[in-house]
Amino acid sequence: MEIAFGPVPSRRLGRSLGINNIPPKHCSYSCVYCQAGPTDAQEIAPRAFYPPETIFREVSQRLEAVRARGEKVDYLTFVPDGEPALDVRLAAAIDALRPLGLPIAVISNASLIWRAEVRDALGRADWVSVKVDSVSETTWRRINRPHPDLKLPGILDGIRSFARSFAGTLASETMLLAGINDSPAELTNLGRFLRDAGIARAYLAIPHRPPAVAGVHGPDEAAITCAHQIFHDLGLEVELLTAYEGDAFAFSGDLRRDILAITAVHPLRESALRALADKAGGDMTLIQVLLADGDLKAVDYAGETFYVRRPTGPDA
Ligand code: SF4
């Protein structure tokens, strides 16, 4: 498994070099909309995965390779196929990356933020996103399908506490799901929590990629606009993440490596895959080989074809 991938175009962070610090798919949640499929290993006790020095080596080598090709990198972002704070050495990994001189982001589901050591690790980053899909116990369980030992009130308290002490930028991300968390009452309660917690910017997203559970999808444009208005009226800085992030994936010189690294965490639309292949001379033969070998899988979703990496086991 590739620890460093991209840079990929991020709607919030510009060109983000991704760090996959957790093997697929260890997570405390098993969200119905997860693009990485169902959670194989649901766990909540932070433990060791990759050594910080390995993460540093992989990230610095990747950075060097993409910069040699003139690619720009704006952020180093922990965004694995799972929860980044499950890595007990996340703080050490962030510290190890500091000499690279780039801002560091962590995209977390916030489920472990009730732990002081997790707040300490996240607090070392420059930009942190916490996932809050609902503040209602029933809806939280329905969407995020949490580990049975997790408790929503403790998570919400942890977010409040983290927001009070964090010196960087704290964003939230909410996945809007039709008929599940898009009612005005749900969104008003959620928006009040985010505002009172002191979230700098609340992002509203919809599933853009094939979800773990068939039939889950985002609301229509009218409901998305309504959600935005509710948050806005509560005084939140709110942005929609409902636009496709573009096809500007980086090409490091090794097309096979790039495709497998990106699709491990980020299913690619056909247009994005073609754009990447064009940078390597436009030959699509390699994609056919990856499909025939079972390394890639084509998935139809919302009228488009996506290419995703075939799962190869929980610790692959
Ligand atoms: S969406 Fe994120 S938090 Fe939810 S199951 Fe997938 S990896 Fe875990």
Side-chain angles (χ1 to χ4, degrees):
M1 198 201 74
E2 304 284 353
I3 290 178
F5 64 95
V8 295
S10 160
R11 288 167 284 177
R12 290 169 289 185
L13 300 170
R15 295 188 62 77
S16 154
L17 192 142
I19 304 166
N20 212 346
N21 67 320
I22 303 284
K25 185 188 154 191
H26 296 260
C27 195
S28 44
Y29 282 173
S30 186
C31 303
V32 290
Y33 56 77
C34 185
Q35 62 174 311
T39 299
D40 306 308
Q42 196 165 35
E43 51 193 289
I44 60 168
R47 64 187 175 90
F49 291 97
Y50 306 112
E53 49 276 22
T54 303
I55 293 176
F56 172 78
R57 191 184 63 238
E58 298 271 325
V59 171
S60 53
Q61 285 174 354
R62 181 81 192 165
L63 200 53
E64 205 174 308
V66 298
R67 280 178 169 163
R69 296 193 158 267
E71 300 273 1
K72 182 169 167 275
V73 174
D74 300 310
Y75 261 90
L76 303 177
T77 307
F78 287 82
V79 54
D81 272 355
E83 169 48 34
L86 273 175
D87 179 358
V88 76
R89 295 181 287 192
L90 176 61
I94 292 173
D95 290 349
L97 294 172
R98 279 291 169 210
L100 295 175
L102 283 166
I104 296 172
V106 182
I107 297 183
S108 168
N109 69 16
S111 63
L112 307 176
I113 205 165
W114 46 276
R115 293 178 180 272
E117 69 275 20
V118 167
R119 293 197 297 276
D120 173 64
L122 295 175
R124 290 164 192 254
D126 302 288
W127 192 98
V128 170
S129 171
V130 289
K131 177 194 298 298
V132 194
D133 293 329
S134 176
V135 293
S136 140
E137 180 91 20
T138 310
T139 311
W140 172 65
R141 291 196 181 284
R142 187 172 168 199
I143 297 176
N144 301 119
R145 301 189 296 177
H147 185 285
D149 292 341
L150 288 175
K151 295 182 175 52
L152 183 60
I155 293 170
L156 300 180
D157 279 347
I159 292 173
R160 287 188 197 95
S161 169
F162 181 68
R164 279 195 295 273
S165 63
F166 185 44
T169 302
L170 179 58
S172 65
E173 181 168 337
T174 300
M175 190 69 86
L176 293 173
L177 300 177
I180 303 181
N181 67 344
D182 61 342
S183 73
E186 273 274 355
L187 291 165
T188 301
N189 290 336
L190 174 53
R192 283 189 182 131
F193 166 77
L194 298 174
R195 178 198 60 194
D196 295 346
I199 295 288
R201 189 168 296 253
Y203 289 95
L204 292 171
I206 58 169
H208 279 286
R209 305 177 188 117
V213 173
V216 166
H217 59 90
D220 61 19
E221 286 173 7
I224 292 170
T225 307
C226 176
H228 184 278
Q229 201 56 36
I230 289 170
F231 274 25
H232 178 264
D233 290 347
L234 286 167
L236 280 162
E237 287 288 327
V238 53
E239 269 187 36
L240 297 177
L241 291 177
T242 51
Y244 176 44
E245 63 269 39
D247 295 340
F249 290 99
F251 176 57
S252 75
D254 181 341
L255 184 60
R256 185 177 194 282
R257 185 177 184 276
D258 286 348
I259 289 172
L260 292 179
I262 293 173
T263 52
V265 292
H266 196 118
L268 279 172
R269 275 182 166 83
E270 178 133 23
S271 56
L273 195 60
R274 284 189 180 279
L276 203 53
D278 279 349
K279 291 187 180 180
D283 188 359
M284 294 290 281
T285 313
L286 173 64
I287 285 98
Q288 299 309 327
V289 171
L290 291 173
L291 286 167
D293 289 350
D295 292 320
L296 272 190
K297 190 178 177 202
V299 177
D300 288 328
Y301 173 66
E304 291 200 59
T305 301
F306 290 81
Y307 292 89
V308 295
R309 178 95 172 256
R310 270 270 171 80
T312 49
D315 288 301

